[in-house]
Amino acid sequence: EVIKIVYQQLSHLKINLEHAGFVVDYIPGGNWHFWIADEQDIPSKITHPYFESVWANQFNEAKEKGADFFATHLNFEEKNKFYNELLSYVPGLPEASKDFYLNCPGLAASTVLLESVGLYIENFSGTPYTDEENNTLMRFGKVFQQTYTRFLDLQKAEAQAREAQIENALEKVRSRTMAMQQSEELPEAANNLFLQVQALGIPAWSAGYCIWDEDKQGITLWMSSEGVMQPPAHAPLNEDPSFIHMKEAYERGDAFHVEEIGGDALVTHYQYMRTLPVVGEILDSIINAGHPLPTFQIFHCVYFSQGFLLFITYEPVPEVHEVFKRFGNVFDQTYTRFLDLQKAEAQTKEARIETALERVRAVAMAMRNPGDLSGISQTLFTELKALGFADLRNTEIIINNNWKETILSYYYSDYGRTGVIEVDYKTNPTVQAWVNELRKADDAFAEVIIREKEMDAWKIYMEEIGYLPDTKLDKVKAIYYYSYSIGLGALSISSFIPVEQQQINILERFRNVFNLSYQRYTDIALAEAQAREAQIELALERVRARTMAMQKSEELADTAFVLFQQFKELGENPYQITIGIIKEAEGFVEFNITGSDGSGAQINSSFKFDINEPALIQKLVKGWKENKRSSVIELAGKDLTDWVAHRSEVSGIIDNTDYSNARRYVGAGFFTKGLISISTVDPLATESILLLERFAQVFDQTYTRFHDLQKAEAQSREAQIELALERVRART
């Protein structure tokens, strides 16, 4: 604007000029910097390298001598030699302007040299300027020298203000960094970096930190765009050309890397970026919001030992490259602070984990019976919640019942309920697949996700196997199950949200600690099994002892009552025990029923049932004939009502109970001459059946003893009869 005014005012004074210009920032042998005004379509600012010419030689000579003025006169050939060289450094100059300069007859110029600048005027007719015109030019030059001094002062003030702005921005980044208390605040630090870059007027689209992977084959990006914090994302460094170039620049030892990208290359770059997790979601959201992706951008990378700062702009900004580098120096402090916090957090986290593990160990070592596993599940739940498992739903300790093909779940839920549930895993394909996965190895890991479309069926299944209704399942879209094998079972959790890998690693550590708990459990279970076996053997021995003490066959009822009492002392709760003697040849089964009344007194009764009664007797006899050790008969519906009717008919005891919706379970243990049976309302436990089998085998001895006594009694009776007959015979 200033050179234009000079040009206009000199023309207004009738001075013959067609071109005017300032020379600034003169360095001998360096680049020339011109600010220009004339009637042609030439740029207002031109910078070109030094080259030999009449005018340049005169300029240098005048500077060396301290002269403040020189005049230049060039003929047509000299002028064109000068302009051919000069115009080659002016890109985009219209051909009409070029033709004008080259077709002019000559060049006359006057140049005033002042302290900081030079001012020159030219005409293309080759007419030299008069002394008066040169004096006027000198006066204009002196005025401009004052103007330029003011300009330099302003420049200096602006530079100082700019430096203050930059230092302020750096200080804000520095102070935000030093205020970090957790490593999770790094995205906020990245956003602060972006905001400070924007505050400096730098046209940045995105800015942030890129941290190398340990093997430097990938980076984690902590970026901010348009003042919006983005979640951390990961990108490999060996697939996309731009990332490859960034890595190569670092490997070369470059401290600063700049790369321009546009056109098809940028389209390909963003197509690749959209395939990356997190980054792709961010870019898709930008596109879906109606904002187009850039068609041209420039990457600026400032490297440090752990990664680099990345600044992305829409246009070249060479004037702020040094500012970018200064932000890089500040970030060294940021990342050092970040690493210090990470280390401190890791140590604190590790201490918390070890404390939680120790609590589980303590509870495990305090176990007194298998039921205490539910308490360990509760402790596990509490400790995992404290370690950041925010949406934990429940914790379970699973024990396999391989011989029954079921599992026992000792669980604790988020709504404060605890207990144990036995699950037949074969009834549900999802649970079956889960169990099969965990049985592949002692340290197997399994993950099961119940999606929204499966939720209704899953809720029904959970209630069927014994879990109380959970109203939270009505409001969630998925349940996530994570399980680790613990040898003969599993340690399992469920959550309403996916669990991060770091948390899965913590769960694995709890699994390792729980092996101690499980060993404790197996030790207790073994001790209990041994104690239980001793109890059973004692009960069987009492039955044996009472059997061997029998002196008369009438004592069979007393022996049966001892069997009944021992069965109850072992924790079983039948209201009676039935001993059935199968008289196959006679076509009936003789049932001797032994029990106790409300006071505990012995009650005995005996009945004969047709061997072909179809609802119950026929089925029991079939099992006996097949030499089975035991059999369980379920009675319901018509079978149950028919049996009750037959029983009433035989016993004479009328039973008016409505059995139409009832169910009964009859378990029998077989011996050589018959069976011992009990009847219950609930399904018989496997242990109860095994006890029946063992008592039946012992009763086999009882019944053999009974037969021996019967035979001896018969022989004794026969001897008495024969003696009486002989006495009659002798007297006769």
Side-chain angles (χ1 to χ4, degrees):
E1 294 301 319
V2 176
I3 193 60
K4 285 180 182 179
I5 293 173
V6 171
Y7 179 87
Q8 292 168 357
Q9 294 306 311
L10 289 172
S11 297
H12 185 68
L13 293 172
K14 308 300 183 183
I15 295 176
N16 178 26
L17 80 158
E18 296 171 272
H19 183 97
F22 292 128
V23 182
V24 296
D25 302 327
Y26 167 75
I27 299 175
N31 288 344
W32 293 95
H33 304 282
F34 297 95
W35 291 91
I36 296 169
D38 72 3
E39 300 299 328
Q40 303 305 312
D41 192 9
I42 190 169
S44 59
K45 182 181 181 182
I46 295 176
T47 297
H48 66 80
Y50 175 84
F51 63 88
E52 286 283 341
S53 69
V54 174
W55 183 84
N57 291 336
Q58 287 180 302
F59 192 101
N60 289 335
E61 184 180 350
K63 275 288 187 182
E64 289 173 4
K65 293 180 177 179
D68 59 3
F69 176 82
F70 67 89
T72 306
H73 300 90
L74 302 178
N75 60 28
F76 184 80
E77 290 76 15
E78 291 172 328
K79 180 263 301 179
N80 279 358
K81 180 182 178 183
F82 172 70
Y83 269 113
N84 276 321
E85 179 76 16
L86 174 64
L87 298 179
S88 68
Y89 299 111
V90 185
L93 183 67
E95 287 297 322
S97 298
K98 188 181 296 185
D99 290 342
F100 172 80
Y101 293 124
L102 296 176
N103 290 322
C104 293
L107 176 67
S110 290
T111 303
V112 174
L113 299 178
L114 300 167
E115 181 181 348
S116 303
V117 297
L119 172 62
Y120 67 91
I121 59 174
E122 298 174 350
N123 67 67
F124 302 115
S125 62
T127 304
Y129 291 103
T130 65
D131 291 340
E132 182 182 354
E133 290 172 330
N134 288 333
N135 288 333
T136 302
L137 179 64
M138 181 65 74
R139 293 177 67 184
F140 269 84
K142 289 179 179 179
V143 169
F144 183 71
Q145 176 61 51
Q146 296 174 345
T147 305
Y148 196 68
T149 301
R150 172 68 173 166
F151 166 74
L152 292 178
D153 291 341
L154 286 172
Q155 254 195 342
K156 183 177 179 181
E158 287 174 355
Q160 291 171 339
R162 179 65 170 175
E163 179 61 23
Q165 280 184 316
I166 294 171
E167 276 299 327
N168 184 45
L170 294 173
E171 186 55 37
K172 286 179 178 176
V173 171
R174 200 177 287 119
S175 61
R176 180 62 189 88
T177 301
M178 299 311 291
M180 285 172 61
Q181 298 299 319
Q182 297 178 332
S183 58
E184 286 81 0
E185 295 178 53
L186 193 56
E188 295 180 27
N191 190 52
N192 184 52
L193 173 67
F194 176 83
L195 294 175
Q196 297 312 314
V197 168
Q198 271 202 331
L200 292 175
I202 301 171
W205 179 53
S206 183
Y209 312 129
C210 302
I211 309 302
W212 303 121
D213 290 351
E214 191 170 340
D215 59 2
K216 290 189 170 59
Q217 297 303 309
I219 53 173
T220 299
L221 300 98
W222 306 77
M223 302 294 291
S224 177
S225 294
E226 301 298 335
V228 177
M229 284 187 294
Q230 297 174 0
H234 186 268
L237 292 171
N238 57 358
E239 297 176 354
D240 178 70
S242 294
F243 287 126
I244 292 172
H245 298 159
M246 293 174 189
K247 181 184 176 186
E248 290 174 344
Y250 173 76
E251 291 173 342
R252 286 194 304 268
D254 295 350
F256 186 61
H257 169 70
V258 179
E259 179 176 353
E260 297 183 1
I261 181 172
D264 292 340
L266 188 57
V267 172
T268 302
H269 170 74
Y270 275 114
Q271 286 174 343
Y272 168 75
M273 294 295 283
R274 291 178 70 184
T275 66
L276 298 178
V278 181
V279 179
E281 297 170 9
I282 294 170
L283 293 175
D284 287 344
S285 66
I286 292 173
I287 294 170
N288 294 335
H291 303 297
L293 295 176
T295 56
F296 176 81
Q297 66 184 38
I298 305 173
F299 297 114
H300 305 80
C301 303
V302 182
Y303 295 98
F304 57 97
S305 60
Q306 302 294 332
F308 56 91
L309 266 64
L310 178 60
F311 303 92
I312 303 175
T313 64
Y314 289 135
E315 59 188 70
V317 286
E319 68 278 6
V320 297
H321 286 179
E322 291 302 317
V323 176
F324 289 156
K325 294 175 186 177
R326 291 174 69 179
F327 274 110
N329 293 334
V330 167
F331 185 71
D332 264 340
Q333 299 174 345
T334 304
Y335 201 70
T336 300
R337 171 74 171 168
F338 168 72
L339 292 178
D340 290 344
L341 285 170
Q342 262 197 335
K343 184 178 179 180
E345 288 171 2
Q347 291 170 340
T348 303
K349 182 82 168 181
E350 182 61 25
R352 290 171 58 198
I353 293 172
E354 278 299 329
T355 301
L357 294 173
E358 189 55 40
R359 286 173 180 150
V360 172
R361 282 192 200 98
V363 175
M365 296 308 295
M367 284 179 65
R368 290 293 178 267
N369 57 70
D372 291 341
L373 286 172
S374 295
I376 296 178
S377 283
Q378 182 173 354
T379 302
L380 182 64
F381 183 94
T382 303
E383 297 306 323
L384 288 178
K385 286 284 280 188
L387 290 175
F389 287 67
D391 283 280
L392 193 62
R393 177 176 173 267
N394 80 338
T395 49
E396 295 179 272
I397 295 171
I398 308 296
I399 303 299
N400 294 334
N401 277 341
N402 291 331
W403 55 281
K404 289 179 64 179
E405 294 188 318
T406 62
I407 56 176
L408 291 172
S409 168
Y410 294 87
Y411 71 93
Y412 182 82
S413 68
D414 64 337
Y415 44 90
R417 295 194 177 100
T418 186
V420 58
I421 291 176
E422 185 172 9
V423 181
D424 182 352
Y425 55 82
K426 302 185 301 302
T427 62
N428 186 286
T430 300
V431 182
Q432 173 80 70
W434 170 78
V435 171
N436 291 342
E437 185 67 26
L438 288 173
R439 288 182 173 177
K440 288 181 178 179
D442 288 344
D443 59 349
F445 174 75
E447 178 181 2
V448 176
I449 304 174
I450 306 300
R451 307 288 184 186
E452 188 172 14
K453 62 182 180 181
E454 306 162 325
M455 192 65 68
D456 289 339
W458 186 252
K459 286 189 295 185
I460 293 171
Y461 170 72
M462 295 297 284
E463 292 178 20
E464 284 177 348
I465 63 176
Y467 286 102
L468 293 171
D470 185 356
T471 56
K472 285 189 177 181
L473 298 185
D474 299 329
K475 304 173 184 177
V476 298
K477 295 186 176 180
I479 305 175
Y480 301 83
Y481 290 87
Y482 304 92
S483 306
Y484 267 110
S485 171
I486 52 172
L488 296 178
L491 185 69
S492 182
I493 67 170
S494 66
S495 174
F496 293 118
I497 61 173
V499 170
E500 299 174 359
Q501 183 58 48
Q502 184 182 13
Q503 293 174 312
I504 291 176
N505 295 341
I506 293 174
L507 182 63
E508 183 179 17
R509 293 180 64 180
F510 274 94
R511 184 280 306 271
N512 295 338
V513 165
F514 183 74
N515 278 334
L516 171 67
S517 304
Y518 189 75
Q519 184 60 51
R520 175 74 173 167
Y521 167 79
T522 54
D523 291 345
I524 291 173
L526 179 61
E528 288 185 342
Q530 292 170 340
R532 178 67 170 174
E533 182 61 24
Q535 283 182 316
I536 293 171
E537 280 298 330
L538 177 60
L540 294 173
E541 188 56 38
R542 285 171 177 163
V543 173
R544 285 190 199 98
R546 182 64 187 87
T547 300
M548 299 310 294
M550 285 173 60
Q551 299 298 318
K552 298 178 181 179
S553 61
E554 287 83 356
E555 296 177 51
L556 179 62
D558 294 334
T559 303
F561 187 66
V562 170
L563 188 151
F564 170 76
Q565 288 177 317
Q566 295 308 306
F567 211 75
K568 287 181 73 69
E569 285 185 16
L570 288 174
E572 303 298 324
N573 195 31
Y575 61 90
Q576 64 185 27
I577 279 186
T578 300
I579 299 173
I581 307 302
I582 299 174
K583 306 283 188 178
E584 192 173 9
E586 290 88 341
F588 65 84
V589 178
E590 183 179 354
F591 279 105
N592 296 280
I593 302 170
T594 301
S596 62
D597 60 16
S599 64
Q602 180 177 344
I603 298 175
N604 297 308
S605 57
S606 180
F607 305 101
K608 294 179 180 179
F609 290 92
D610 189 335
I611 202 168
N612 294 315
E613 189 279 320
L616 178 63
I617 306 302
Q618 197 177 69
K619 295 174 183 177
L620 291 174
V621 172
K622 181 175 181 293
W624 175 74
K625 285 183 176 181
E626 292 174 352
N627 293 318
K628 291 182 178 180
R629 290 177 60 87
S630 61
S631 184
V632 177
I633 310 299
E634 181 180 350
L635 295 175
K638 187 174 184 301
D639 282 347
L640 180 57
T641 55
D642 286 351
W643 162 247
V644 171
H646 181 68
R647 186 184 64 186
S648 297
E649 181 182 349
V650 170
S651 66
I653 301 172
I654 305 301
D655 186 350
N656 293 319
T657 306
D658 181 10
Y659 289 98
S660 57
N661 294 316
R663 201 171 288 269
R664 292 291 183 273
Y665 300 87
V666 177
F670 299 115
F671 57 95
T672 55
K673 298 298 182 181
L675 57 92
I676 297 175
S677 72
I678 60 175
S679 174
T680 62
V681 174
D682 298 317
L684 286 161
T686 301
E687 187 180 4
S688 299
I689 301 300
L690 294 175
L691 277 176
L692 273 175
E693 291 179 2
R694 295 181 69 176
F695 273 98
Q697 297 309 307
V698 167
F699 192 78
D700 215 7
Q701 299 173 347
T702 304
Y703 198 71
T704 300
R705 172 74 170 164
F706 168 73
H707 266 284
D708 290 343
L709 286 172
Q710 267 194 333
K711 184 178 179 180
E713 288 172 354
Q715 291 172 342
S716 176
R717 180 66 172 169
E718 182 61 28
Q720 286 179 327
I721 294 172
E722 280 298 327
L723 177 60
L725 292 172
E726 186 55 38
R727 286 173 177 164
V728 170
R729 197 180 289 115
R731 181 70 185 86
T732 302

